[in-house]
C-alpha cells in the first residue's frame, strides 16, 4: 500500500464529517436555514420535501464513506462514490455559473471544496 493510500480512511472520514453539517443545513429545518442562508422561501411542503430528500442522499453517502473508512473491502467503492458525487455536484454548479451567473458566496466555497475533494479522491484512487 502506498503512503498516499494510507490516507484513504482519513480522507473518507473528513469528507463524511464535512458533508454532514451541509446536509443538515439543507434538510433538518429547511424553513429556518434556507431563508437565513440563501434567501430561499421554504414555506411550501414541496420545497421542504426536496431539500429533505437531498439531506437524506447526502447523509446516506456520508454513512457509506464512513463504512469505507472502516472496512478495507468498501474503501475503493466508497472513494469512487465520493469522486462521482463531488464531481457531479461541481459540474452542476459550474453549469449553473454559466447559465445563471454568480450564486451566494457560500455556494462558491462549496464548488471549490467539491472540486478539491473530487481531485484528491481521484488521486487516492489512481495512486495505489
Amino acid at each position: 500500500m502506498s503512503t498516499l493510500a494510507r490516507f484513504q480512511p482519513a480522507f473518507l472520514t473528513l469528507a463524511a464529517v464535512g458533508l454532514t453539517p451541509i446536509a443538515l443545513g439543507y434538510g433538518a429545518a429547511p424553513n429556518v436555514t434556507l431563508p437565513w442562508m440563501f434567501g430561499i422561501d421554504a414555506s411550501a411542503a414541496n420545497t421542504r420535501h426536496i431539500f429533505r430528500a437531498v439531506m437524506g442522499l447526502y447523509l446516506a453517502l456520508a454513512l457509506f464513506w464512513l463504512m469505507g473508512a472502516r472496512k478495507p473491502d468498501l474503501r475503493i467503492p466508497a472513494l469512487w462514490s465520493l469522486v462521482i458525487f463531488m464531481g457531479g455536484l461541481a459540474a452542476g454548479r459550474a453549469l449553473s455559473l454559466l447559465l445563471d451567473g454568480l450564486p451566494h458566496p457560500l455556494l462558491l466555497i462549496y464548488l471549490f471544496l467539491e472540486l478539491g475533494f473530487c481531485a484528491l479522491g481521484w488521486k487516492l484512487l489512481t495512486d495505489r
Side-chain angles (χ1 to χ4, degrees):
M1 178 183 287
S2 75
T3 303
L4 195 56
R6 290 191 180 111
F7 182 61
Q8 291 173 343
F11 177 72
L12 287 165
T13 301
L14 176 66
V17 169
L19 193 67
T20 298
I22 294 168
L24 295 173
Y26 284 156
N31 53 323
V32 174
T33 57
L34 295 176
W36 175 67
M37 290 174 62
F38 304 115
I40 296 172
D41 178 14
S43 60
N46 288 341
T47 303
R48 292 190 308 274
H49 178 87
I50 290 167
F51 278 94
R52 286 197 169 117
V54 169
M55 176 187 69
L57 175 62
Y58 277 39
L59 292 175
L61 282 166
L63 178 61
F64 182 53
W65 300 339
L66 288 174
M67 292 168 55
R70 294 195 53 145
K71 297 182 177 279
D73 58 323
L74 292 177
R75 199 154 296 146
I76 298 305
L79 281 168
W80 272 111
S81 72
L82 187 148
V83 167
I84 292 166
F85 180 74
M86 295 293 182
L89 287 173
R93 292 188 199 279
L95 178 63
S96 181
L97 278 172
L98 292 172
L99 298 177
D100 307 318
L102 287 175
H104 186 280
L106 182 58
L107 297 174
L108 290 174
I109 292 169
Y110 289 174
L111 169 62
F112 290 114
L113 288 170
E114 291 155 2
L115 288 169
F117 272 89
C118 181
L120 187 50
W122 180 257
K123 179 72 173 160
L124 290 172
L125 277 169
T126 58
D127 185 52
R128 290 188 274 149

